[in-house]
């Protein structure tokens, strides 16, 4: 018999909502977790918005949640640097304002220089040659590379635009020996940060997502049972990854609560 479920880590898009529409049962399920005192945290690879913005979107759908209930890949990347290299780590940041704020919240020393210990790479509409040059020089000097998410394309209203993974490919072309740590799914780094925030063990926590190759892979890599939310279409194992369970709504999860 498997261990009781005492905490939940969940993806947002495709699980709690799709676009602007809440998924069936999601608002009710989250309200029930809150009432029963079940710890939960939502994780997203989207690092171009803040946890405050995600919480506001959820509030608008009737989910009672604060920014502490959402962990973005940007937050997770900054936390990872804080845990691995210590607060005060000199860090060169490529990213939007929210990523700088995440770095500062973590106590990192943001520096616009090549003599840093870490390069933190995220999505940046203001990306330019000068920033890439500082990053490449820092990496050649031996700085570590921490990346928010691996996605190479972002879906937009009129097609696609290049995402962080494309910038990462450029940096790796210039500095092939660099071994980046990627926070976002399918890496387990963001899930481990989520567990640390929840104060829960992998054994008693589940990961919920709608994508096998990102959500289920990330959850299982971090040692969590990982549930695939699928609306009607029977899921097949993908790339040898099999979800631990299949659910149709968040209401299908049998949580035991913190004491259960
Ligand atoms: Mg999703």
């Amino acid at each position: 018999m498997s261990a009781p479920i005492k905490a939940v880590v969940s993806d947002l898009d495709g699980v709690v909502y799709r676009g602007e529409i809440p998924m069936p049962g999601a608002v009710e399920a989250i309200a029930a977790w809150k009432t029963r005192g079940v710890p939960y945290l939502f994780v997203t690879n989207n690092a171009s918005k803040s946890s405050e913005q995600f919480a506001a979107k959820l509030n608008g759908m009737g989910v009672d949640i604060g920014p502490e209930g959402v962990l973005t890949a940007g937050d997770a990347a900054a936390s990872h640097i804080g845990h691995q290299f210590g607060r005060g780590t000199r860090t060169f940041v490529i990213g939007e304002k929210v990523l700088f704020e995440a770095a500062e919240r973590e106590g990192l020393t943001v520096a616009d220089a090549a003599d840093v210990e870490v390069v933190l790479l995220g999505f940046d509409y203001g990306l330019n040659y000068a920033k890439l040059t500082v990053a490449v020089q820092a990496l050649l000097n031996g700085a570590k590379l921490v990346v928010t998410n691996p996605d190479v394309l972002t879906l937009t209203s009129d097609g696609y635009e290049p995402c962080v993974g494309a910038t990462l490919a450029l940096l790796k072309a210039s500095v092939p020996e660099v071994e980046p740590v990627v926070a976002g799914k399918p890496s387990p780094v963001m899930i481990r940060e989520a567990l640390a925030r929840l104060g829960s063990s992998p054994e008693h926590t589940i990961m919920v997502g709608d994508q096998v190759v990102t959500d289920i892979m990330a959850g299982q890599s971090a040692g969590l049972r990982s549930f695939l939310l699928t609306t009607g279409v029977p899921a097949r194992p993908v790339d040898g990854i099999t979800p631990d369970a299949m659910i149709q709504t968040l209401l299908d999860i049998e949580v035991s609560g913190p004491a259960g």
Side-chain angles (χ1 to χ4, degrees), residues 14-26:
V15 174
V16 178
Y17 51 70
R18 179 158 285 140
E20 302 301 319
I21 313 292
M23 299 291 283

Side-chain angles (χ1 to χ4, degrees), residues 11-18 43 185 208-211 214-215:
D11 176 36
L12 279 174
D13 207 352
V15 174
V16 178
Y17 51 70
R18 179 158 285 140
V43 292
K185 301 170 285 186
V208 187
D210 68 319
Q211 301 290 327
T214 51
D215 302 314

Side-chain angles (χ1 to χ4, degrees), residues 18-252:
R18 179 158 285 140
E20 302 301 319
I21 313 292
M23 299 291 283
V27 176
E28 297 88 331
I30 298 163
W33 300 343
K34 191 176 179 97
T35 302
R36 296 179 55 187
V38 179
Y40 54 90
L41 188 60
F42 296 100
V43 292
T44 173
N45 268 17
N46 187 333
S48 59
K49 288 202 201 103
S50 66
S51 49
E52 284 83 1
Q53 288 169 297
F54 284 108
K57 176 170 180 169
L58 289 164
N59 293 160
M61 294 175 176
V63 178
D64 179 15
I65 196 167
E68 70 288 346
V70 181
L71 179 68
T72 72
D75 299 333
S79 290
H80 178 79
I81 296 170
H83 291 157
Q84 288 294 311
F85 306 104
R87 293 173 72 83
T89 297
R90 277 171 62 80
T91 307
F92 176 64
V93 181
I94 292 180
E96 292 292 302
K97 185 161 163 274
V98 292
L99 192 57
F100 283 81
E101 288 168 353
E104 278 155 17
R105 211 165 34 238
E106 204 58 44
L108 308 180
T109 303
V110 175
D112 191 8
D115 64 340
V116 290
E117 296 157 77
V118 176
V119 173
L120 172 56
L121 174 66
F123 180 77
D124 183 1
Y125 269 114
L127 182 67
N128 61 35
Y129 205 77
K131 293 181 189 181
L132 291 170
T133 300
V134 174
V136 165
Q137 288 190 354
L139 297 175
L140 288 171
N141 290 343
K144 305 292 185 196
L145 177 59
V146 178
V147 186
T148 56
N149 55 300
D151 309 65
V152 290
L153 288 173
T154 305
L155 185 62
T156 64
S157 53
D158 51 3
Y160 289 94
E161 61 190 17
C163 195
V164 186
T167 316
L168 172 60
L170 187 153
L171 294 180
K172 281 180 78 170
S174 288
V175 192
E177 62 272 28
V178 74
E179 289 177 17
V181 171
V182 180
K185 301 170 285 186
S187 150
V189 169
M190 181 163 59
I191 311 304
R192 292 200 195 108
E193 291 295 335
L195 288 177
R197 291 199 184 193
L198 289 171
S200 62
S201 68
E203 186 191 10
H204 291 108
T205 310
I206 59 159
M207 170 73 195
V208 187
D210 68 319
Q211 301 290 327
V212 172
V213 289
T214 51
D215 302 314
I216 303 303
M217 170 105 181
Q220 291 184 345
S221 299
L224 278 61
R225 280 170 287 164
S226 300
F227 291 11
L228 185 72
L229 189 142
T230 169
T231 46
V233 186
R236 297 168 289 112
V238 181
D239 295 344
I241 307 160
T242 308
D244 293 281
M246 235 78 94
I247 56 172
Q248 291 196 322
T249 85
L250 290 180
L251 290 168
D252 296 341

